[in-house]
Amino acid sequence: MLPRESSLFCATNSDRCRLVLCVEDGLTNRCVAAASLMAFSQGSKCSTKLLLNRFGVSRPCRKITTLDAYSHIASLRKMFIRSFTVDASGLDKTSIIKHLRERTSAPIKEVKSALVNCNWDIEAAQKDLRKRGVVLASKKSSRTAAEGLLALARNENEAAVIELNCETDFVARNQVFQYLALSLATKVLSIGSSGAKATTVFPFGPEYLEELKINLSHEKLSGETTVQSAITEVAAMVGENVKLRRGFRVLKSPHGVMSSYLHSCPQPGLGRFVGIVTLEPEVDSVLVDALQQVGTQLAMHVVASKPLFLSKDLVPSEALEAERDILKSQAESTGKSQLAVEKMVEGRLKKYLEEVVFMEQKFIVNDSVNVKSLIDNLSREVGSPVKVSNFLRLEVGEGIQRAEASNAPEGLVQAA
């Protein structure tokens, strides 16, 4: 049986508050119950004094009935349990949301929705996100993706370039997106080029890679899968349309030199602009370092000067006639004589060829010479005639509307 009355007093220190119920029984005091409020002073919502006052304990020690004491203790205990349970749960949920977002890179709104639907089971929510992401990615596949990156991979005799597009430059800075782009370029090199002619540039579309298997060793991607599935998975992660647009393979001769240049590089092997130039001497015993140095400068030149044709004899006659008609119309509008008009047309046509023909362009490093003169000087230096076998210039998003209409790969490439 419980005693008729008891003393309730508060023993406090800097760490916690404890209420101890002591029972008076004659001349002796016997401790029959102790209840801890499980609350540290720094975590309390209000001061200890205020809590005591709220529950009718206004002095360190006063007489109350036993039933009142137990009632006060139970009320305080429930309040602290409720308060601290809510806080802990909130912290746990925040941690789960953060962890799942790090795993999947999915938008935080989608992460929270998946966790709620799956009763905060992180594994189930991750599966739900992947299923939902595939559906969302397919819905976004019709949206224009004109941003992205070019990825370049090379070995001793070959270079591979792919363009991976997205909708915003923000996604182009995403690490998973960049990892996928580099992995696709590396995959192209692994296919091999048996039977391909040296000093050749050949383009390919997305169908060249889509069904091939690729092993992705990134913590946020799912190991071995098809190229198309990997692209869809990344699209689901970043919440945008992601597509493999085009690619090129560039081969060189056994004694030739291939040089490349990437501009606007977030990391090695990636950029928004790429230039590739292959130089081929007639003999293989030449100064490779000299060829490589000039080749790198010419690759930079290709990116900056945007040549359309390698040499004048490779300019299509249709392009020349179209340009001639435009120039003639402009000259005739001046009202000058026919002889003067013809001279103006020829002068402007020559200027046009100097702007669009690689070998006729002014060298960007030294504009006192053109590229043709630079190659002649290089031939004398290495003791063997050297020629530019081909060049390739690519820019992210160039001609994107034309490419979507025709499904034809774009790019500026010429071979001798």
Side-chain angles (χ1 to χ4, degrees):
M1 295 179 60
L2 292 174
R4 288 171 298 175
E5 56 181 16
S6 60
S7 296
L8 179 69
F9 67 93
C10 182
T12 64
N13 57 32
S14 60
D15 293 327
R16 60 186 175 179
C17 176
R18 181 184 298 273
L19 293 180
V20 181
L21 183 65
C22 292
V23 179
E24 293 184 356
D25 183 12
L27 297 176
T28 62
N29 291 335
R30 185 163 52 89
C31 181
V32 296
S36 173
L37 298 184
M38 302 169 59
F40 292 94
S41 59
Q42 59 266 33
S44 298
K45 299 297 183 183
C46 55
S47 67
T48 302
K49 182 178 180 181
L50 182 59
L51 288 171
L52 292 173
N53 288 338
R54 180 182 300 174
F55 288 92
V57 186
S58 58
R59 296 185 302 278
C61 181
R62 76 182 183 90
K63 294 286 184 176
I64 61 173
T65 67
T66 303
L67 293 177
D68 286 342
Y70 276 109
S71 177
H72 287 316
I73 293 170
S75 299
L76 286 169
R77 181 180 179 86
K78 286 179 181 179
M79 185 196 74
F80 275 98
I81 289 175
R82 182 173 64 252
S83 172
F84 280 85
T85 300
V86 171
D87 289 346
S89 177
L91 290 173
D92 288 343
K93 289 179 179 179
T94 301
S95 177
I96 293 171
I97 291 170
K98 181 180 178 182
H99 186 55
L100 183 56
R101 181 160 163 74
E102 288 174 351
R103 271 199 200 182
T104 63
S105 294
I108 190 167
K109 181 179 179 182
E110 298 293 334
V111 169
K112 291 176 69 175
S113 175
L115 285 168
V116 170
N117 292 339
C118 298
N119 198 25
W120 295 91
D121 184 331
I122 192 169
E123 297 299 334
Q126 184 172 356
K127 293 179 181 178
D128 181 60
L129 277 174
R130 295 180 77 175
K131 292 177 182 177
R132 191 186 311 179
V134 171
V135 175
L136 291 175
S138 64
K139 290 181 179 179
K140 295 173 182 178
S141 61
S142 60
R143 295 182 352 194
T144 300
E147 293 294 331
L149 288 169
L150 297 163
L152 171 68
R154 291 185 53 182
N155 58 28
E156 186 177 349
N157 296 312
E158 183 182 356
V161 184
I162 63 95
E163 179 178 354
L164 189 65
N165 293 126
C166 55
E167 297 176 45
T168 65
D169 60 352
F170 175 78
V171 167
R173 296 193 295 271
N174 182 283
Q175 290 186 352
V176 177
F177 181 88
Q178 293 180 3
Y179 173 82
L180 177 62
L182 285 170
S183 299
L184 294 178
T186 304
K187 180 63 180 178
V188 176
L189 286 184
S190 69
I191 297 173
S193 55
S194 58
K197 180 183 176 182
T199 68
T200 298
V201 177
F202 50 99
F204 57 86
E207 65 281 353
Y208 183 65
L209 293 177
E210 285 178 340
E211 300 305 319
L212 297 179
K213 292 287 186 178
I214 185 170
N215 193 1
L216 302 174
S217 57
H218 193 281
E219 59 182 3
K220 295 183 179 180
L221 297 174
S222 56
E224 188 176 33
T225 183
T226 64
V227 168
Q228 183 55 54
S229 296
I231 293 172
T232 302
E233 187 173 352
V234 171
M237 286 183 183
V238 300
E240 289 190 7
N241 182 19
V242 175
K243 61 168 61 177
L244 173 62
R245 182 189 175 198
R246 56 179 174 170
F248 289 83
R249 301 183 69 166
V250 184
L251 279 68
K252 71 174 186 64
S253 64
H255 56 275
V257 170
M258 182 186 299
S259 301
S260 60
Y261 171 74
L262 280 162
H263 189 66
S264 299
C265 304
Q267 61 171 294
L270 296 173
R272 288 185 55 84
F273 305 84
V274 64
I276 299 177
V277 173
T278 56
L279 299 177
E280 186 177 358
E282 284 190 0
V283 297
D284 55 1
S285 57
V286 297
L287 299 174
V288 175
D289 290 343
L291 291 174
Q292 195 69 63
Q293 181 179 0
V294 173
T296 301
Q297 292 177 340
L298 287 175
M300 188 185 304
H301 172 97
V302 166
V303 170
S305 299
K306 304 180 182 179
L308 299 177
F309 312 102
L310 179 60
S311 59
K312 288 191 292 186
D313 58 331
L314 291 176
V315 180
S317 57
E318 297 84 0
L320 278 177
E321 289 303 318
E323 188 66 24
R324 190 186 298 274
D325 289 341
I326 294 172
L327 295 175
K328 186 176 181 180
S329 299
Q330 293 174 349
E332 287 176 344
S333 65
T334 63
K336 295 184 178 181
S337 65
Q338 187 62 30
L339 181 61
V341 167
E342 291 178 1
K343 289 183 178 180
M344 290 173 64
V345 170
E346 293 303 318
R348 292 179 181 179
L349 191 60
K350 180 180 179 182
K351 180 68 174 176
Y352 166 75
L353 292 174
E354 290 176 353
E355 291 175 353
V356 301
V357 175
F358 183 43
M359 300 300 290
E360 305 299 322
Q361 288 179 329
K362 297 293 184 182
F363 185 39
I364 61 166
V365 178
N366 179 10
D367 60 6
S368 64
V369 297
N370 61 17
V371 174
K372 185 176 183 302
S373 299
L374 177 72
I375 296 299
D376 291 340
N377 294 337
L378 177 63
S379 298
R380 287 191 289 270
E381 180 182 350
V382 300
S384 170
V386 177
K387 70 174 183 178
V388 179
S389 302
N390 49 54
F391 73 90
L392 174 68
R393 182 190 186 275
L394 294 173
E395 179 179 345
V396 169
E398 60 185 344
I400 195 75
Q401 298 299 331
R402 188 166 62 252
E404 288 180 348
S406 64
N407 291 322
E410 299 289 331
L412 303 179
V413 54
Q414 285 284 316

